Amino acid sequence: MQCDYFDRGVCRSCTLMGQPYADQVLDKEIRTLELLREAVDAAGGPGTVEWLPAITSPESGYRNKAKMVVGGTVQRPTVGILDHRQRGVDLRHCGICTPGIRHALPILADFIADAGLIPYDVAARRGELKYVLVTESPDGELMVRFVLRSEGQLPTLRQHLDALRSVLPQAVVVTANLLPEHKAVTEGEREIVLTEQETLSMRLGPVTMHLRPQSFFQTNTHVATELYAQASAWIDEVAPESMWDLYCGVGGFALHAARPGRAVTGIETSREAIRSAKQSAREAGLTDVRFAADDATEHALRSRPGATPELVLVNPPRRGIGEALSTWLEDSDVQHVVYSSCNPVTLAKDLARMPSLRLRRVRVLDMFPQTGHLEAVTLLSRG
């Protein structure tokens, strides 16, 4: 992939830009294998562990969510990043974003100017509009979130909402997020939905999920579809009657793995994500699936003896599942674990704490082309 922003040195976020794509994927596979070497050896060596071919991605146009810093001036706003002097750098044509997002960003920049929304000046700590966050669904619909410092320009945003939707009809969900603090985070706790529709429908394979403004969703729709399909295939192969989906987000794994007679429980700290998951399960008529807002580790530690499932799926953030949950899984009677990880370093550490759960299968998924990041999904079985 060629990128003018990278070539000009104005954005270096995609650290592997210019490296042949096949080499990027091979390097990620080798790095993952090296990190998991101890677990592979414990399982009987490379000949025992099935290492499936990597799932690749389109090299460009893959990212379904853009987190754009708003800089510049009211008359000439920038949407992109900040440079080392905290000045706005415009990246409205970023090539890793989906075509729908690339179409939307120039329209949103014009809307910011036309509506008179004041970009936030980080250095001076004044202004109102900090970020614009855009997510595109597989069907081309958009969720657009304006991150504001205060409610000061909320009336202006409401006043111009119809004008925005007339030039960007794909924006079916529009919100204002309030972030009054001056700190290095992208969004605040309070979300004000400005449209009648509150969720973005994310249709992946046979499952439709509902995405609310503050819920996590995989940023690569193509690879996420393959990830859910792979995990579901492994789960069907071992055929558990009960499973937990810990760190379930909006329920992607749980909803894809649901089968008649299989009791599925999804656990996630975000109440907004749980609301979305429950809505998806209800609309799909899934009566054996339940979701609850709880901490994944605490949920496991509080479980009664004999109430543990046959299979546990974990999809933690980059820090991994940690010592407490790893130890609980090791000491439990859980027979199978599917571990989906965005950080092979913490994945390796967690697997080392669960020697009774042997590594059976590994697959690297290139969720983040042009960067060093990856997703790895593994199947572990006891004995």
Side-chain angles (χ1 to χ4, degrees), residues 29-30 32-51 348 351-352 357-362 378 380:
E29 289 187 287
I30 293 172
T32 303
L33 175 60
E34 290 174 346
L35 288 167
L36 300 187
R37 177 67 67 185
E38 182 178 339
V40 170
D41 291 343
T48 303
V49 177
E50 184 180 3
W51 194 277
L351 296 190
L357 287 155
R358 295 282 186 92
L359 184 64
R360 301 302 188 197
R361 290 178 184 159
V362 185
T378 63
L380 316 172

Coordinates of all heavy atoms in Angstrom, one line a residue, residues 29-30 32-51 348 351-352 357-362 378 380:
E29 N 3.4 -14.1 11.9 CA 3.3 -15.5 12.2 C 4.6 -16.0 13.0 O 4.5 -16.7 14.0 CB 3.1 -16.3 11.0 CG 1.8 -16.1 10.3 CD 1.6 -17.1 9.2 OE1 2.2 -16.8 8.1 OE2 0.8 -18.1 9.3
I30 N 5.8 -15.6 12.5 CA 7.0 -16.0 13.1 C 7.1 -15.4 14.5 O 7.5 -16.2 15.5 CB 8.2 -15.5 12.3 CG1 8.2 -16.3 10.9 CG2 9.5 -15.8 13.0 CD1 9.3 -15.8 9.9
T32 N 4.7 -14.6 16.6 CA 3.8 -15.3 17.4 C 4.3 -16.7 17.8 O 4.2 -17.1 19.0 CB 2.4 -15.4 16.7 OG1 1.9 -14.1 16.4 CG2 1.4 -16.0 17.7
L33 N 4.8 -17.4 16.8 CA 5.3 -18.7 17.1 C 6.5 -18.7 18.1 O 6.5 -19.5 19.1 CB 5.8 -19.4 15.8 CG 6.5 -20.7 16.0 CD1 5.6 -21.8 16.6 CD2 7.1 -21.2 14.6
E34 N 7.4 -17.7 18.0 CA 8.5 -17.5 18.9 C 8.0 -17.2 20.3 O 8.5 -17.8 21.3 CB 9.4 -16.4 18.4 CG 10.2 -16.8 17.1 CD 11.0 -15.7 16.6 OE1 10.8 -14.5 17.0 OE2 11.9 -15.9 15.7
L35 N 7.0 -16.4 20.4 CA 6.5 -16.1 21.7 C 5.7 -17.2 22.4 O 5.7 -17.4 23.6 CB 5.5 -14.8 21.7 CG 6.2 -13.5 21.4 CD1 5.2 -12.4 21.0 CD2 7.0 -13.0 22.6
L36 N 5.1 -18.1 21.6 CA 4.3 -19.2 22.1 C 5.2 -20.5 22.1 O 4.6 -21.5 22.4 CB 3.1 -19.4 21.3 CG 2.1 -18.3 21.2 CD1 0.8 -18.7 20.4 CD2 1.7 -17.7 22.5
R37 N 6.5 -20.4 21.9 CA 7.3 -21.6 21.8 C 7.2 -22.4 23.0 O 7.1 -23.7 23.0 CB 8.8 -21.1 21.6 CG 9.7 -22.3 21.6 CD 9.5 -23.2 20.3 NE 9.9 -22.5 19.1 CZ 9.7 -23.0 17.9 NH1 9.1 -24.2 17.8 NH2 10.0 -22.3 16.8
E38 N 7.2 -21.9 24.2 CA 7.1 -22.6 25.5 C 5.8 -23.5 25.5 O 5.8 -24.6 25.9 CB 7.2 -21.7 26.7 CG 7.2 -22.5 28.0 CD 7.3 -21.5 29.2 OE1 7.8 -20.4 29.0 OE2 6.9 -21.9 30.3
A39 N 4.7 -22.8 25.1 CA 3.4 -23.5 25.1 C 3.4 -24.6 24.1 O 2.8 -25.7 24.3 CB 2.3 -22.5 24.9
V40 N 4.0 -24.3 22.9 CA 4.0 -25.3 21.8 C 4.9 -26.5 22.3 O 4.5 -27.7 22.1 CB 4.7 -24.7 20.6 CG1 4.9 -25.7 19.5 CG2 3.7 -23.6 20.0
D41 N 6.0 -26.3 22.9 CA 6.8 -27.4 23.4 C 6.1 -28.2 24.4 O 6.2 -29.4 24.5 CB 8.2 -26.8 23.9 CG 9.0 -26.3 22.8 OD1 8.8 -26.6 21.6 OD2 10.0 -25.5 23.2
A42 N 5.4 -27.5 25.3 CA 4.7 -28.2 26.4 C 3.6 -29.1 25.8 O 3.2 -30.1 26.4 CB 4.1 -27.2 27.4
A43 N 3.0 -28.7 24.7 CA 2.0 -29.5 24.0 C 2.5 -30.7 23.2 O 1.7 -31.4 22.7 CB 1.1 -28.6 23.2
G44 N 3.8 -30.8 23.1 CA 4.4 -31.9 22.4 C 5.2 -31.4 21.1 O 5.6 -32.3 20.3
G45 N 5.4 -30.1 21.0 CA 6.1 -29.6 19.8 C 5.3 -29.2 18.7 O 4.1 -29.4 18.7
P46 N 5.9 -28.6 17.7 CA 5.2 -28.1 16.5 C 4.4 -29.1 15.8 O 3.4 -28.8 15.1 CB 6.3 -27.5 15.6 CG 7.4 -27.3 16.5 CD 7.3 -28.3 17.6
G47 N 4.8 -30.4 15.8 CA 4.1 -31.4 15.1 C 2.7 -31.8 15.8 O 1.9 -32.4 15.1
T48 N 2.6 -31.4 17.0 CA 1.4 -31.7 17.8 C 0.4 -30.6 17.7 O -0.8 -30.8 17.6 CB 1.7 -32.0 19.2 OG1 2.6 -33.1 19.3 CG2 0.4 -32.4 20.0
V49 N 0.9 -29.4 17.7 CA 0.0 -28.2 17.6 C -0.3 -27.9 16.2 O 0.6 -27.8 15.3 CB 0.7 -27.0 18.3 CG1 -0.1 -25.7 18.1 CG2 1.0 -27.2 19.8
E50 N -1.5 -27.7 15.9 CA -1.9 -27.4 14.5 C -1.8 -25.9 14.3 O -2.5 -25.1 14.9 CB -3.3 -27.9 14.2 CG -3.8 -27.7 12.8 CD -5.2 -28.2 12.5 OE1 -5.8 -28.6 13.4 OE2 -5.6 -28.1 11.3
W51 N -1.0 -25.5 13.4 CA -0.8 -24.1 13.1 C -1.4 -23.8 11.7 O -0.9 -24.1 10.7 CB 0.7 -23.8 13.0 CG 1.0 -22.3 13.0 CD1 1.0 -21.5 12.0 CD2 1.4 -21.6 14.2 NE1 1.4 -20.2 12.4 CE2 1.6 -20.2 13.8 CE3 1.6 -21.9 15.5 CZ2 2.0 -19.2 14.6 CZ3 1.9 -20.8 16.4 CH2 2.1 -19.5 15.9
A348 N 1.2 -15.3 25.7 CA 2.2 -16.3 26.1 C 2.4 -16.4 27.6 O 2.5 -17.5 28.1 CB 3.6 -16.0 25.4
L351 N -0.7 -18.3 28.9 CA -0.7 -19.8 28.6 C 0.3 -20.5 29.5 O 0.1 -21.6 29.9 CB -0.3 -20.0 27.1 CG -1.3 -19.5 26.1 CD1 -0.9 -20.0 24.7 CD2 -2.7 -19.9 26.4
A352 N 1.4 -19.8 29.9 CA 2.4 -20.4 30.7 C 1.8 -20.7 32.1 O 2.3 -21.6 32.8 CB 3.6 -19.5 30.9
L357 N -3.9 -27.0 30.5 CA -4.6 -26.8 29.3 C -3.7 -26.7 28.1 O -3.0 -25.7 27.9 CB -5.5 -25.5 29.4 CG -6.6 -25.6 30.4 CD1 -7.0 -24.3 31.0 CD2 -7.8 -26.2 29.7
R358 N -3.6 -27.8 27.4 CA -2.6 -27.9 26.3 C -3.0 -27.1 25.1 O -4.1 -27.2 24.7 CB -2.4 -29.4 25.9 CG -1.8 -30.2 27.0 CD -0.3 -30.0 27.1 NE 0.3 -31.0 28.1 CZ 0.8 -32.2 27.8 NH1 0.8 -32.6 26.5 NH2 1.3 -32.9 28.7
L359 N -2.0 -26.5 24.5 CA -2.2 -25.7 23.2 C -2.5 -26.7 22.1 O -1.6 -27.6 21.9 CB -1.0 -24.8 22.9 CG -1.1 -23.9 21.7 CD1 -2.3 -22.9 21.9 CD2 0.2 -23.2 21.4
R360 N -3.6 -26.6 21.4 CA -3.9 -27.5 20.3 C -3.9 -26.9 18.9 O -3.4 -27.5 18.0 CB -5.3 -28.1 20.5 CG -5.5 -28.9 21.8 CD -4.5 -30.0 22.0 NE -4.8 -30.9 23.1 CZ -4.0 -31.7 23.6 NH1 -2.8 -31.8 23.1 NH2 -4.3 -32.5 24.7
R361 N -4.4 -25.6 18.9 CA -4.4 -25.0 17.6 C -4.1 -23.5 17.7 O -4.5 -22.9 18.7 CB -5.8 -25.2 16.9 CG -6.0 -26.6 16.4 CD -7.4 -26.8 15.8 NE -7.6 -28.2 15.5 CZ -8.7 -28.7 15.4 NH1 -9.8 -28.0 15.5 NH2 -8.8 -30.0 15.1
V362 N -3.5 -22.9 16.7 CA -3.2 -21.5 16.7 C -3.5 -20.9 15.3 O -3.2 -21.6 14.3 CB -1.7 -21.2 17.0 CG1 -1.4 -19.7 17.1 CG2 -1.3 -22.0 18.3
T378 N -6.4 -19.1 19.7 CA -5.9 -20.4 20.1 C -7.0 -21.3 20.7 O -7.9 -20.8 21.3 CB -4.7 -20.3 21.1 OG1 -5.2 -19.7 22.3 CG2 -3.6 -19.4 20.6
L380 N -7.3 -24.4 23.4 CA -6.6 -25.2 24.5 C -7.5 -26.3 25.0 O -8.7 -26.0 25.1 CB -6.2 -24.3 25.6 CG -5.6 -22.9 25.3 CD1 -5.5 -22.1 26.6 CD2 -4.2 -23.1 24.7

